[in-house]
Amino acid sequence: MHRSAPVDPTKMGVGKAIAVLTSGGDAQGMNAAVRATVRVGIYTGAKVYFVHEGYQGLVDGGDNIRQATWESVSMMLQLGGTVIGSARCQDFRSKEGRAKAACNLVKLGITNLCVIGGDGSLTGANEFRNEWSELLQILLKAGKITAEEAKRSSHLNIVGMVGSIDNDFCGTDMTIGTDSALHRIMEVVDAITTTAQSHQRAFILEVMGRHCGYLALVTALACGADWVFIPEMPPDEGWQDHLCRRLTYQRKIGNRLNVIIVAEGALDRHGKPITCDIIKNLVTKKLSFDTRATILGHVQRGGTPSAFDRILGSRMGVEAVMALLEATPDTPACVVSLSGNMAVRLPLMECVQVTKEVTKAMAEGRFEEAVKLRGKSFENNWNTYKLLAHVTAPDVKSNINIAIMNVGAPCAGMNAAVRSAVRIGILQGHNMLAVHDGFDGLANGTIEPMTWGYVGGWTGKGGSNLGTKRSLPASMIEEISLNIAKFNIHALVIIGGFEAFVGGLELVTAREKYEELCIPLVVIPATVSNNVPGSDFSIGADTALNTITTTCDRIKQSAAGTKRRVFIIETMGGNCGYLATMAGLAAGADAAYIYEERFGIHDLETNVEHLLEKMKTTVKRGLILRNEKCNANYTTDFLFSLYSEEGKGVFDCRKNVLGHMQQGGTPTPFDRNFGTKMGAKAVLWLTDKLKECYRHAGRIFANTPDSACVLGMKKRATLFQPLSDLKEDTDFEHRIPKTQWWLKLRPILKILAKYKISLDTSETATMEHVIKKRGTV
């Protein structure tokens, strides 16, 4: 990030025009990006144009290029695909076609182009920009444009956003549409799992990804598949026998179901395709298993975008407009993207170059390198999958006992974390112990060993299978230390919310008095509230966010039908406004009240007036979110009464308290994958820590601050941070961290809801290079 002199953002775009188009294959979340581009463009004072039907519309011009208004992007957020249409375009490949496109832009005074599409679409945009001057000369000679028009449009700025469900663009963590495609795939996998278990079947599932195995890989991780075939890493010679051995072993240990995931572009070491039919014939002939194959096809592109894709599209849209308006003729064309949770700008052609290098590495058989070039997140997924896929436990046992517990309120994804922690522990030669019902179970001795099969099928199950309670350990330290000695527990994994963090701290404090508590411990944040210090994300928050967003969609639909109606919805989160804010962004709310951003009667008045104005437009509905503990006096009932009274004769109100439905449900792909990776990382870290803390005669002694950590996701990496170091950054009274990254997104929520507020433009994302930071892409 670099800081510059603040500019008035509402004047940045005055006198400028921006065109937005979607090109190539459609992806869920493109509409969110279009909506944000249009609204933020208008907010800056720029004119914004839709280009319908992708590059074809750019070439054909006329009615295909239309000015967008604030209202024209209303109700777009929850729609899949792209509302402005996309088309494969042959005309744009010829210079003649591109000259026509340039002419259409020049006539409307458009010098900023925002392209949402895959690498082909973005490469085309860059080529268009590079030959812009030449195209203007051609048009001048032919008398199609005047010298004045050519001067006014002397250069073209281009910003790209990657919309592709395959997640095949290097330099970006996630492309728009990938998370939604995973949602569609997991819905099918969950449905297939139940029928396959009834009949003891093997299921082969083909997912999209002609040149990229991301969807297949994450699906395999998220559903605990027995085998995955991806183009980046073909199986070794003799894979047929290996696969049959693994499937047979799974049946032998009592699994009624086998799942094999295949990317549509999967190949063997000789470059020959590996298809569903080839695998089906092999399993049927060799093992006589009842086998079914399902090819998912375009189902993966369909449906409503997930909360993540809507927020990603919205954040990228904001960043794209800023990048266009700050660009100079010397700025290289860039793509806006997310890295971890940070918006970044990357040189377009560097990303395209690395993406092409992956394809080249695969074609030349340099598979290890292809996986590395795909980026850190892909490599981590591959390594975690490899770890969990090996089901043969080592012969040599470590004689280490690691206990796992859930603390606090249940949330989706806890079971995925327990499963991977247990299995990684078994593969390390440890004995894994289940502690039921949180710290109560540790005090009462409800502890039992867990085997490989014990946690089978846990990834897709919501809630907490181990059982969880909110009790803290301080009042039962004596009993806990006795049981740690009795069951000979050498290390502890605590998966839970704020209580897990506080409980961990209490155990560390009690180390002075009880030597039994001098064991390494790790806290994995898992709570819908996302309020654990030391981590930007908690397991379970994504599932809750999607539940709220889906409910808001239905409520908005109802309001759109009745007209002139405002809904007030209360979300969970304790004192943490994460869910209310992010759901506000994902569902297109008019306001989201949270504890962290104090509000008074004046703010409420402004919000009511804003809605009264809104009812005069074509968008006659309102959506207000309220975090459950945002204010002790301005309760949901109070807000409902206030809005009902002030809106009399103009709009009526309804209220909805979402309650515990936010804690339930099957975990989203993100929470399954996140839980799986965090569980694995925690146990691998404990294994190393135990070696450091090993004393003679098999005793473990750990009393340094760094032997009790929170495993958190910070910006772009997962980090282990000592619990004691995080005390400074914690507001214990209100159970929230003192600094929270998502508060920076609040202005975007307000701008997209048409509030005239100031956006801080002094801190902008600098252009980062992809080529030189190869190791950390």
Side-chain angles (χ1 to χ4, degrees), residues 746-764:
R746 299 271 306 166
I748 299 176
L749 173 72
K750 292 171 188 169
I751 288 167
L752 293 175
K754 212 173 180 176
Y755 278 93
K756 291 273 183 285
I757 63 147
S758 179
L759 183 66
D760 178 11
T761 53
S762 61
E763 195 177 87
T764 57

PDB file of all heavy atoms in Angstrom, residues 746-764:
ATOM      1  N   ARG A 746     -16.590  -1.022   5.222  1.00  0.00           N
ATOM      2  CA  ARG A 746     -17.853  -0.342   5.539  1.00  0.00           C
ATOM      3  C   ARG A 746     -18.197   0.797   4.564  1.00  0.00           C
ATOM      4  O   ARG A 746     -19.340   0.906   4.137  1.00  0.00           O
ATOM      5  CB  ARG A 746     -17.807   0.211   6.969  1.00  0.00           C
ATOM      6  CG  ARG A 746     -17.618  -0.817   8.048  1.00  0.00           C
ATOM      7  CD  ARG A 746     -18.881  -1.411   8.576  1.00  0.00           C
ATOM      8  NE  ARG A 746     -19.851  -0.429   9.038  1.00  0.00           N
ATOM      9  CZ  ARG A 746     -21.124  -0.732   9.289  1.00  0.00           C
ATOM     10  NH1 ARG A 746     -21.547  -1.968   9.127  1.00  0.00           N
ATOM     11  NH2 ARG A 746     -21.964   0.191   9.707  1.00  0.00           N
ATOM     12  N   PRO A 747     -17.201   1.641   4.180  1.00  0.00           N
ATOM     13  CA  PRO A 747     -17.538   2.713   3.235  1.00  0.00           C
ATOM     14  C   PRO A 747     -18.093   2.174   1.913  1.00  0.00           C
ATOM     15  O   PRO A 747     -18.972   2.795   1.316  1.00  0.00           O
ATOM     16  CB  PRO A 747     -16.195   3.428   3.014  1.00  0.00           C
ATOM     17  CG  PRO A 747     -15.391   3.103   4.215  1.00  0.00           C
ATOM     18  CD  PRO A 747     -15.811   1.740   4.650  1.00  0.00           C
ATOM     19  N   ILE A 748     -17.581   1.016   1.461  1.00  0.00           N
ATOM     20  CA  ILE A 748     -18.059   0.445   0.182  1.00  0.00           C
ATOM     21  C   ILE A 748     -19.545   0.124   0.293  1.00  0.00           C
ATOM     22  O   ILE A 748     -20.329   0.395  -0.617  1.00  0.00           O
ATOM     23  CB  ILE A 748     -17.258  -0.836  -0.183  1.00  0.00           C
ATOM     24  CG1 ILE A 748     -15.779  -0.509  -0.360  1.00  0.00           C
ATOM     25  CG2 ILE A 748     -17.819  -1.502  -1.421  1.00  0.00           C
ATOM     26  CD1 ILE A 748     -14.892  -1.713  -0.615  1.00  0.00           C
ATOM     27  N   LEU A 749     -19.922  -0.444   1.440  1.00  0.00           N
ATOM     28  CA  LEU A 749     -21.329  -0.786   1.694  1.00  0.00           C
ATOM     29  C   LEU A 749     -22.193   0.459   1.540  1.00  0.00           C
ATOM     30  O   LEU A 749     -23.263   0.432   0.922  1.00  0.00           O
ATOM     31  CB  LEU A 749     -21.446  -1.374   3.116  1.00  0.00           C
ATOM     32  CG  LEU A 749     -22.830  -1.651   3.681  1.00  0.00           C
ATOM     33  CD1 LEU A 749     -23.462  -2.846   3.007  1.00  0.00           C
ATOM     34  CD2 LEU A 749     -22.764  -1.927   5.179  1.00  0.00           C
ATOM     35  N   LYS A 750     -21.713   1.580   2.098  1.00  0.00           N
ATOM     36  CA  LYS A 750     -22.508   2.813   2.071  1.00  0.00           C
ATOM     37  C   LYS A 750     -22.550   3.438   0.674  1.00  0.00           C
ATOM     38  O   LYS A 750     -23.587   3.935   0.245  1.00  0.00           O
ATOM     39  CB  LYS A 750     -21.936   3.815   3.085  1.00  0.00           C
ATOM     40  CG  LYS A 750     -22.158   3.335   4.513  1.00  0.00           C
ATOM     41  CD  LYS A 750     -21.426   4.191   5.510  1.00  0.00           C
ATOM     42  CE  LYS A 750     -21.516   3.552   6.885  1.00  0.00           C
ATOM     43  NZ  LYS A 750     -20.635   4.187   7.831  1.00  0.00           N
ATOM     44  N   ILE A 751     -21.422   3.399  -0.017  1.00  0.00           N
ATOM     45  CA  ILE A 751     -21.391   3.973  -1.370  1.00  0.00           C
ATOM     46  C   ILE A 751     -22.325   3.191  -2.298  1.00  0.00           C
ATOM     47  O   ILE A 751     -23.076   3.764  -3.079  1.00  0.00           O
ATOM     48  CB  ILE A 751     -19.940   3.976  -1.917  1.00  0.00           C
ATOM     49  CG1 ILE A 751     -19.132   5.045  -1.183  1.00  0.00           C
ATOM     50  CG2 ILE A 751     -19.908   4.225  -3.415  1.00  0.00           C
ATOM     51  CD1 ILE A 751     -17.643   4.942  -1.390  1.00  0.00           C
ATOM     52  N   LEU A 752     -22.299   1.847  -2.174  1.00  0.00           N
ATOM     53  CA  LEU A 752     -23.149   1.027  -3.027  1.00  0.00           C
ATOM     54  C   LEU A 752     -24.628   1.207  -2.673  1.00  0.00           C
ATOM     55  O   LEU A 752     -25.511   0.836  -3.440  1.00  0.00           O
ATOM     56  CB  LEU A 752     -22.753  -0.461  -2.933  1.00  0.00           C
ATOM     57  CG  LEU A 752     -21.359  -0.800  -3.504  1.00  0.00           C
ATOM     58  CD1 LEU A 752     -21.009  -2.247  -3.263  1.00  0.00           C
ATOM     59  CD2 LEU A 752     -21.287  -0.485  -4.993  1.00  0.00           C
ATOM     60  N   ALA A 753     -24.908   1.744  -1.482  1.00  0.00           N
ATOM     61  CA  ALA A 753     -26.291   2.019  -1.092  1.00  0.00           C
ATOM     62  C   ALA A 753     -26.652   3.491  -1.367  1.00  0.00           C
ATOM     63  O   ALA A 753     -27.682   3.983  -0.925  1.00  0.00           O
ATOM     64  CB  ALA A 753     -26.494   1.697   0.383  1.00  0.00           C
ATOM     65  N   LYS A 754     -25.765   4.197  -2.082  1.00  0.00           N
ATOM     66  CA  LYS A 754     -25.991   5.581  -2.539  1.00  0.00           C
ATOM     67  C   LYS A 754     -25.895   6.635  -1.449  1.00  0.00           C
ATOM     68  O   LYS A 754     -26.618   7.623  -1.452  1.00  0.00           O
ATOM     69  CB  LYS A 754     -27.344   5.715  -3.250  1.00  0.00           C
ATOM     70  CG  LYS A 754     -27.320   6.770  -4.363  1.00  0.00           C
ATOM     71  CD  LYS A 754     -28.601   6.775  -5.171  1.00  0.00           C
ATOM     72  CE  LYS A 754     -28.507   7.832  -6.253  1.00  0.00           C
ATOM     73  NZ  LYS A 754     -29.664   7.843  -7.124  1.00  0.00           N
ATOM     74  N   TYR A 755     -25.016   6.420  -0.485  1.00  0.00           N
ATOM     75  CA  TYR A 755     -24.778   7.469   0.513  1.00  0.00           C
ATOM     76  C   TYR A 755     -23.651   8.348   0.012  1.00  0.00           C
ATOM     77  O   TYR A 755     -22.663   7.855  -0.524  1.00  0.00           O
ATOM     78  CB  TYR A 755     -24.411   6.854   1.864  1.00  0.00           C
ATOM     79  CG  TYR A 755     -25.615   6.406   2.647  1.00  0.00           C
ATOM     80  CD1 TYR A 755     -26.066   5.097   2.547  1.00  0.00           C
ATOM     81  CD2 TYR A 755     -26.306   7.294   3.466  1.00  0.00           C
ATOM     82  CE1 TYR A 755     -27.183   4.680   3.244  1.00  0.00           C
ATOM     83  CE2 TYR A 755     -27.418   6.884   4.161  1.00  0.00           C
ATOM     84  CZ  TYR A 755     -27.859   5.578   4.048  1.00  0.00           C
ATOM     85  OH  TYR A 755     -28.970   5.179   4.737  1.00  0.00           O
ATOM     86  N   LYS A 756     -23.799   9.645   0.220  1.00  0.00           N
ATOM     87  CA  LYS A 756     -22.739  10.575  -0.188  1.00  0.00           C
ATOM     88  C   LYS A 756     -21.720  10.647   0.940  1.00  0.00           C
ATOM     89  O   LYS A 756     -21.783  11.536   1.789  1.00  0.00           O
ATOM     90  CB  LYS A 756     -23.325  11.962  -0.435  1.00  0.00           C
ATOM     91  CG  LYS A 756     -24.215  12.029  -1.661  1.00  0.00           C
ATOM     92  CD  LYS A 756     -23.378  12.316  -2.913  1.00  0.00           C
ATOM     93  CE  LYS A 756     -24.227  12.476  -4.155  1.00  0.00           C
ATOM     94  NZ  LYS A 756     -24.754  11.224  -4.669  1.00  0.00           N
ATOM     95  N   ILE A 757     -20.809   9.686   0.981  1.00  0.00           N
ATOM     96  CA  ILE A 757     -19.804   9.742   2.047  1.00  0.00           C
ATOM     97  C   ILE A 757     -18.440   9.854   1.390  1.00  0.00           C
ATOM     98  O   ILE A 757     -18.303   9.666   0.184  1.00  0.00           O
ATOM     99  CB  ILE A 757     -19.848   8.475   2.934  1.00  0.00           C
ATOM    100  CG1 ILE A 757     -19.511   7.240   2.099  1.00  0.00           C
ATOM    101  CG2 ILE A 757     -21.176   8.313   3.612  1.00  0.00           C
ATOM    102  CD1 ILE A 757     -18.781   6.209   2.870  1.00  0.00           C
ATOM    103  N   SER A 758     -17.434  10.084   2.193  1.00  0.00           N
ATOM    104  CA  SER A 758     -16.099  10.229   1.625  1.00  0.00           C
ATOM    105  C   SER A 758     -15.359   8.906   1.712  1.00  0.00           C
ATOM    106  O   SER A 758     -15.337   8.264   2.763  1.00  0.00           O
ATOM    107  CB  SER A 758     -15.339  11.298   2.400  1.00  0.00           C
ATOM    108  OG  SER A 758     -14.060  11.391   1.834  1.00  0.00           O
ATOM    109  N   LEU A 759     -14.771   8.506   0.617  1.00  0.00           N
ATOM    110  CA  LEU A 759     -13.983   7.274   0.591  1.00  0.00           C
ATOM    111  C   LEU A 759     -12.525   7.689   0.705  1.00  0.00           C
ATOM    112  O   LEU A 759     -12.067   8.580  -0.007  1.00  0.00           O
ATOM    113  CB  LEU A 759     -14.226   6.547  -0.734  1.00  0.00           C
ATOM    114  CG  LEU A 759     -13.552   5.194  -0.930  1.00  0.00           C
ATOM    115  CD1 LEU A 759     -14.118   4.169   0.045  1.00  0.00           C
ATOM    116  CD2 LEU A 759     -13.753   4.693  -2.346  1.00  0.00           C
ATOM    117  N   ASP A 760     -11.794   7.059   1.613  1.00  0.00           N
ATOM    118  CA  ASP A 760     -10.386   7.414   1.799  1.00  0.00           C
ATOM    119  C   ASP A 760      -9.574   6.876   0.630  1.00  0.00           C
ATOM    120  O   ASP A 760      -9.383   5.686   0.482  1.00  0.00           O
ATOM    121  CB  ASP A 760      -9.878   6.800   3.117  1.00  0.00           C
ATOM    122  CG  ASP A 760      -8.400   7.108   3.340  1.00  0.00           C
ATOM    123  OD1 ASP A 760      -7.857   7.953   2.608  1.00  0.00           O
ATOM    124  OD2 ASP A 760      -7.796   6.493   4.240  1.00  0.00           O
ATOM    125  N   THR A 761      -9.116   7.794  -0.259  1.00  0.00           N
ATOM    126  CA  THR A 761      -8.357   7.337  -1.429  1.00  0.00           C
ATOM    127  C   THR A 761      -6.860   7.543  -1.229  1.00  0.00           C
ATOM    128  O   THR A 761      -6.078   7.378  -2.143  1.00  0.00           O
ATOM    129  CB  THR A 761      -8.786   8.120  -2.691  1.00  0.00           C
ATOM    130  OG1 THR A 761      -8.680   9.511  -2.396  1.00  0.00           O
ATOM    131  CG2 THR A 761     -10.199   7.779  -3.090  1.00  0.00           C
ATOM    132  N   SER A 762      -6.474   7.921  -0.001  1.00  0.00           N
ATOM    133  CA  SER A 762      -5.045   8.195   0.205  1.00  0.00           C
ATOM    134  C   SER A 762      -4.242   6.898   0.263  1.00  0.00           C
ATOM    135  O   SER A 762      -3.050   6.876   0.028  1.00  0.00           O
ATOM    136  CB  SER A 762      -4.846   8.989   1.497  1.00  0.00           C
ATOM    137  OG  SER A 762      -5.319   8.210   2.578  1.00  0.00           O
ATOM    138  N   GLU A 763      -4.935   5.790   0.598  1.00  0.00           N
ATOM    139  CA  GLU A 763      -4.212   4.514   0.669  1.00  0.00           C
ATOM    140  C   GLU A 763      -4.663   3.642  -0.488  1.00  0.00           C
ATOM    141  O   GLU A 763      -5.777   3.139  -0.504  1.00  0.00           O
ATOM    142  CB  GLU A 763      -4.547   3.812   1.996  1.00  0.00           C
ATOM    143  CG  GLU A 763      -3.581   2.698   2.313  1.00  0.00           C
ATOM    144  CD  GLU A 763      -3.882   2.073   3.674  1.00  0.00           C
ATOM    145  OE1 GLU A 763      -4.711   1.152   3.708  1.00  0.00           O
ATOM    146  OE2 GLU A 763      -3.299   2.502   4.670  1.00  0.00           O
ATOM    147  N   THR A 764      -3.830   3.543  -1.514  1.00  0.00           N
ATOM    148  CA  THR A 764      -4.262   2.769  -2.681  1.00  0.00           C
ATOM    149  C   THR A 764      -3.398   1.532  -2.817  1.00  0.00           C
ATOM    150  O   THR A 764      -2.259   1.498  -2.360  1.00  0.00           O
ATOM    151  CB  THR A 764      -4.137   3.606  -3.977  1.00  0.00           C
ATOM    152  OG1 THR A 764      -2.777   4.032  -4.095  1.00  0.00           O
ATOM    153  CG2 THR A 764      -5.054   4.796  -3.959  1.00  0.00           C
TER     154      THR A 764
END
